Amino acid sequence: MSTASDYRKREESVTMSTESAGMGETHELLTLNIGPHHPATHGVLRLIATLEGEVVRDIKPIIGYVHTGIEKTAEQKAYWKAIPVVERMDYLSYYFNAMAYCGAVETLLGLEIPPRAQYLRVIHLELNRIMSHLVWLGTSALDLGAMSMFWYCFREREAILDLFEMSSGQRMHTRYFQIGGVIEDIPVGFAAKVQKFVDEMPTRADQYADLLEKNEIVLSRLRDTCTLDKETLLGLNVTGPLLRAAGVPWDLRKAKPYSSYEHFDFKIPVGSVGDNYDRFRVRHAELYESTRIIDQALNGLPDGPHIADDRKVVLPPRHELATSMEALIHHFKLVTEGFRVPEGECYYPIESPRGELGCFVRADGSAKPARVHMRDPSFVNLQATAPMVKDSYIADLIATLAMVDPVLGGVDR
Amino acid sequence: MIGLANIDYFEPWWMQIAKALVIFGVIFGVLPILTVYERKLLGRFQHRYGPNRVGPFGLMQPLAEIVKFALKEPFRPRTSMGFLFRLAPAISIMTAVGGLALIPWGNVQDIFGTRTGLYGIDVSVGPLYVFALGGISFYGIVLGGWASGSKYSFLGAMRAAAQLISYEVSQGLALVGVLISAQTLSLTGIVNAQRGMWYFIPQIVGFLIFMVASFAETNRAPFDLVEADGELGGGYFTEYGGTGFVAYLFAEYVNMLVVSGMAATLFLGGWLLPFGIHPPGWVDPFVVLAKMMIFMTLFIWIRATLPRLRYDQLMSFGWKILLPLATVNLLVTAIVVVH
């Protein structure tokens, strides 16, 4: 009784309409509850939309349906055990979550990452970016009613997941990134398979463009809909493709390179108008750019170790355990207690498929983080939805929500 | 003068009943196969197999699903209006089936020594009858959406009201060109008038308008705003499950069949074959069915390809492009026929 009624009260406290006055007797605003299990919300997002006929006057996003307490859970884990937990926040960009967290811890430790590990990370990060964009493209097209795109995109996504499975043994939440590098070097044949994918992906992206960008219905659905200027976006702290679609070439891979992104030659797709079409085009163009980065990283993959050679942080190679007492002690110590991180705090931002993904880690000198916090782009970008969709049609609300591409696992954490 | 129904030969009562039963039985035998066909074809378009587990080639899939739907709990929302909620799908399916009676499957044949037309009825107001049924079937959708007592259904019903009215006008006007050319309203008469050339060629504009409007009339992609699964989660039948849902689903497919049959009759020469081929009379129904399958395939193909229009775009397309085009087409046809 108590919890349910409290919840209802809190719902009622949400201001439903913005324009209740002056509507007259013939008009009435309709409050429509969209979600949390609506097919177009891409997760358990709930929107309370105030409609005037088919026109959206206001929306209130309500979040918290997949709040999992991951940040708190991470505080209970040793540093290296927190990686799989953190990965599960934004479930479409697990490599990015792991990268942000590992980067923060590595900065606190002052750990030097071998170049091969950095390149392997870049390969997987960009594969993950393509994978995330493919899910976005497929589901967005599905929301527009172009159902076949969903399967075409998931066909390529499957190829990427197969690659992940090959390199790490897992298709999702791979735990491939470790503090200090990556857990294993890539297996034999992986490079050839990635190369095959990289060669194929641009033609696939061309096909998506042929299907969607030459379609009059898609163009009329996306062009000049739900435009938001860059000042408002910057004021709302929006990052990623949404901001770039409005004409701000802000990409942390260029602005503040990490994991040797400065070695690669790639462009940042930038829109001009900031409408749904630009949002679509920017993400679509990123498919090509990510493919180019993977190609360069793969062909320029340096030799050397795949993980840092710091026995206080990194697990010793398995074969040494049988011969070296020291390795056995290190192994035991790392697996039981974990390593200790010197006192300090660090914010490590990277460019996830959805924008700036920053991980804040505060260390108190023990083997467990005192605080882990993620600045998740989905959460921040979601607040731009309401100003975007104001006074547009309900169909555009769905399309815009698809273009914002929030992942609710990342929003709620 | 056009009477209400000029039946120029006598059919015994048992033949009329037998015809009705045969048409109904055949169509409801074809219908489940059509659902499998749609899903199989969609699967091929989408790089997957489609249903292939139940029975040979997955053909028993609809049987399994009908049993599943029939066994579902007859759930309805607390806010719904019981009587109308149950009546609405019945209206939809009845009007859809009523349209089947009109499709001419073949010419008059000699069956058991009785002169029999291979069609349910041949009324002298053929297309009007179909439009009348279309007008009533619209009640099935609007009542269903309204009686559900759900906002999603309500929005879907409102969309249906706007969409069906707008596009029925264009659909009707596109037909008038054919009617003027054939100088008759009887569907068999229209088919017989196409012996020289199918109306698909001289009435190409009317044909295209008719097809576009038919997509809107049957709520198929890219005009499936009434259902709009992405936005309204099913539109007018959001709250329907079990048999009510099946009724709406079957009504949609029967409507597609009727529209395909009408298109085949009015524009593709009905049971006639090109190049002077005159098969025996029993082949005619299969010719019509084959022509209908062409349109059904087109329906499915478009569904796999095109995204959905937005509500305002749908309305402006209907009123600003389709309707003027249909009017001009009618005008040109009238001038050509008179001269």
Side-chain angles (χ1 to χ4, degrees):
Chain A
M1 179 63 201
S2 65
T3 45
S5 61
D6 284 357
Y7 191 68
R8 290 290 166 213
K9 259 181 210 154
R10 258 188 299 164
E11 269 179 20
E12 281 162 14
S13 72
V14 177
T15 320
M16 292 292 186
S17 99
T18 50
E19 297 177 37
S20 55
M23 292 300 293
E25 283 180 358
T26 51
H27 285 63
E28 196 181 332
L29 291 178
L30 176 78
T31 306
L32 186 67
N33 177 48
I34 302 175
H37 56 273
H38 188 277
T41 52
H42 297 200
V44 280
L45 172 65
R46 184 170 167 213
L47 298 171
I48 294 184
T50 310
L51 305 178
E52 184 186 346
E54 288 261 337
V55 180
V56 179
R57 291 297 178 209
D58 191 25
I59 60 160
K60 303 274 181 211
I62 296 178
I63 60 170
Y65 291 94
V66 277
H67 179 72
T68 39
I70 284 178
E71 289 176 350
K72 191 71 188 165
T73 312
E75 291 170 20
Q76 311 298 321
K77 305 271 179 200
Y79 279 96
W80 67 280
K81 286 179 186 167
I83 299 172
V85 184
V86 173
E87 269 187 338
R88 278 156 177 74
M89 289 184 178
D90 182 342
Y91 44 79
L92 283 184
S93 57
Y94 28 93
Y95 278 105
F96 291 90
N97 299 335
M99 179 70 213
Y101 173 75
C102 290
V105 177
E106 284 156 6
T107 314
L108 284 171
L109 286 166
L111 209 59
E112 192 68 30
I113 311 302
R116 187 177 177 86
Q118 295 193 9
Y119 271 56
L120 287 178
R121 280 181 174 182
V122 166
I123 291 172
H124 285 90
L125 285 173
E126 294 306 319
L127 279 175
N128 193 172
R129 188 185 309 276
I130 296 175
M131 185 278 258
S132 173
H133 280 354
L134 285 173
V135 175
W136 158 79
L137 184 61
T139 51
S140 302
L142 195 64
D143 284 345
L144 291 177
M147 56 193 289
S148 295
M149 277 303 294
F150 184 76
W151 279 275
Y152 301 149
C153 291
F154 268 60
R155 176 183 57 195
E156 268 69 70
R157 178 179 183 263
E158 281 299 303
I160 295 179
L161 291 187
D162 286 346
L163 291 174
F164 288 168
E165 189 180 5
M166 194 174 176
S167 68
S168 67
Q170 296 284 338
R171 294 166 72 78
M172 290 181 77
H173 310 303
T174 54
R175 205 189 185 283
Y176 185 63
F177 291 1
Q178 297 298 304
I179 288 157
V182 296
I183 193 155
E184 264 182 345
D185 210 341
I186 47 171
V188 179
F190 181 76
K193 279 187 93 169
V194 174
Q195 190 65 49
K196 185 164 165 286
F197 176 79
V198 164
D199 294 341
E200 199 179 68
M201 192 59 213
T203 58
R204 297 296 192 193
D206 288 344
Q207 289 171 4
Y208 305 151
D210 288 347
L211 260 172
L212 292 175
E213 280 179 34
K214 289 176 185 165
N215 188 316
E216 187 60 36
I217 300 176
V218 175
L219 294 181
S220 58
R221 280 296 304 274
L222 294 181
R223 276 206 177 131
D224 298 321
T225 52
C226 302
T227 313
L228 203 58
D229 58 298
K230 54 185 169 192
E231 284 76 25
T232 319
L233 287 172
L234 284 169
L236 288 168
N237 214 354
V238 171
T239 47
L242 291 182
L243 184 63
R244 292 197 283 275
V248 184
W250 176 254
D251 190 320
L252 284 165
R253 289 176 294 175
K254 287 273 191 199
K256 187 178 169 297
Y258 52 91
S259 197
S260 62
Y261 263 110
E262 66 274 12
H263 295 177
F264 306 115
D265 172 35
F266 63 99
K267 298 197 184 78
I268 303 173
V270 175
S272 53
V273 185
D275 56 359
N276 275 346
Y277 181 66
D278 278 352
R279 288 164 200 147
F280 165 75
R281 281 302 304 272
V282 162
R283 279 209 178 84
H284 183 258
E286 279 182 11
L287 291 177
Y288 295 98
E289 295 306 317
S290 292
T291 313
R292 281 180 61 204
I293 296 174
I294 298 169
D295 195 24
Q296 292 169 43
L298 197 65
N299 291 316
L301 192 63
D303 288 330
H306 62 274
I307 194 159
D309 191 28
D310 185 342
R311 291 295 161 84
K312 297 292 175 198
V313 177
V314 176
L315 283 175
R318 189 79 203 170
H319 64 85
E320 280 186 20
L321 297 187
T323 53
S324 160
M325 176 56 104
E326 202 183 355
L328 196 62
I329 292 169
H330 276 136
H331 187 271
F332 178 75
K333 199 68 184 149
L334 280 173
V335 171
T336 51
E337 192 201 356
F339 51 84
R340 293 186 180 178
V341 176
E343 216 168 308
E345 52 187 46
C346 173
Y347 177 71
Y348 194 85
I350 60 168
E351 186 71 24
S352 96
R354 276 161 276 281
E356 178 183 332
L357 175 75
C359 186
F360 172 84
V361 176
R362 189 160 68 79
D364 56 2
S366 73
K368 291 173 182 172
R371 177 83 173 100
V372 175
H373 174 68
M374 281 275 188
R375 182 234 185 254
D376 196 281
S378 303
F379 175 68
V380 182
N381 293 354
L382 192 60
Q383 60 184 338
T385 318
M388 275 176 192
V389 301
K390 189 163 165 45
D391 299 335
S392 60
Y393 284 89
I394 184 168
D396 284 339
L397 159 67
I398 303 299
T400 308
L401 198 63
M403 293 298 152
V404 170
D405 189 26
V407 170
L408 272 296
V411 172
D412 291 343
R413 298 191 292 284
Chain B
M1 274 304 290
I2 293 171
L4 267 182
N6 296 331
I7 300 175
D8 53 356
Y9 52 87
F10 177 75
E11 286 178 11
W13 60 271
W14 55 268
M15 182 54 89
Q16 302 235 0
I17 292 172
K19 278 202 305 193
L21 286 178
V22 166
I23 290 174
F24 187 83
V26 167
I27 291 299
F28 272 71
V30 168
L31 216 54
I33 298 170
L34 266 181
T35 60
V36 178
Y37 177 65
E38 162 153 31
R39 293 166 63 178
K40 283 255 181 207
L41 204 59
L42 279 180
R44 294 295 158 183
F45 282 126
Q46 291 160 353
H47 207 261
R48 60 194 174 89
Y49 291 110
N52 62 355
R53 294 288 128 181
V54 191
F57 308 108
L59 280 175
M60 293 294 121
Q61 183 74 28
L63 213 62
E65 274 166 13
I66 288 167
V67 170
K68 182 195 81 175
F69 278 123
L71 293 178
K72 289 236 174 204
E73 180 193 355
F75 168 85
R76 70 181 181 85
R78 209 184 309 154
T79 45
S80 65
M81 282 155 256
F83 175 64
L84 290 178
F85 187 76
R86 289 279 163 245
L87 180 71
I91 296 177
S92 266
I93 191 105
M94 280 195 292
T95 51
V97 172
L100 281 177
L102 258 282
I103 300 170
W105 298 94
N107 216 340
V108 178
Q109 302 293 332
D110 205 31
I111 300 178
F112 309 134
T114 317
R115 269 167 57 78
T116 310
L118 292 183
Y119 34 75
I121 40 171
D122 179 27
V123 287
S124 55
V125 289
L128 292 184
Y129 174 96
V130 173
F131 283 120
L133 283 176
I136 301 169
S137 77
F138 149 85
Y139 278 98
I141 291 177
V142 172
L143 275 183
W146 182 66
S148 294
S150 151
K151 287 172 182 172
Y152 286 102
S153 307
F154 175 73
L155 281 173
M158 289 300 107
R159 283 182 178 188
Q163 176 177 334
L164 297 191
I165 290 170
S166 317
Y167 280 77
E168 194 154 308
V169 180
S170 309
Q171 198 185 20
L173 274 182
L175 275 193
V176 179
V178 170
L179 303 182
I180 291 178
S181 306
Q183 312 262 331
T184 174
L185 273 165
S186 152
L187 289 176
T188 46
I190 291 171
V191 172
N192 283 322
Q194 295 182 67
R195 288 207 184 276
M197 182 191 279
W198 295 356
Y199 286 141
F200 157 63
I201 297 159
Q203 286 289 324
I204 180 74
V205 180
F207 173 68
L208 292 176
I209 296 168
F210 179 82
M211 282 320 290
V212 172
S214 299
F215 276 96
E217 281 292 296
T218 48
N219 302 326
R220 293 286 295 186
F223 301 107
D224 55 346
L225 286 93
V226 176
E227 293 157 27
D229 47 294
E231 301 145 30
L232 303 180
Y236 63 94
F237 58 68
T238 303
E239 305 296 343
Y240 282 93
T243 43
F245 175 76
V246 172
Y248 273 130
L249 193 75
F250 270 28
E252 182 179 321
Y253 277 89
V254 174
N255 274 330
M256 276 162 68
L257 273 177
V258 170
V259 161
S260 304
M262 290 293 286
T265 307
L266 295 165
F267 293 100
L268 284 193
W271 63 81
L272 302 176
L273 281 172
F275 314 120
I277 304 169
H278 292 294
W282 59 268
V283 181
D284 291 352
F286 296 100
V287 174
V288 177
L289 206 57
K291 286 178 181 174
M292 282 163 75
M293 284 311 287
I294 295 174
F295 288 110
M296 294 299 288
T297 310
L298 187 70
F299 272 110
I300 296 163
W301 189 358
I302 299 265
R303 182 183 171 196
T305 311
L306 290 184
R308 193 179 300 123
L309 282 163
R310 203 171 62 205
Y311 177 69
D312 60 320
Q313 291 164 351
L314 175 97
M315 296 311 279
S316 69
F317 179 71
W319 289 106
K320 290 181 187 163
I321 297 174
L322 224 50
L323 189 61
L325 208 61
T327 317
V328 170
N329 176 55
L330 169 62
L331 202 66
V332 170
T333 313
I335 291 169
V336 168
V337 168
V338 168
H339 280 273

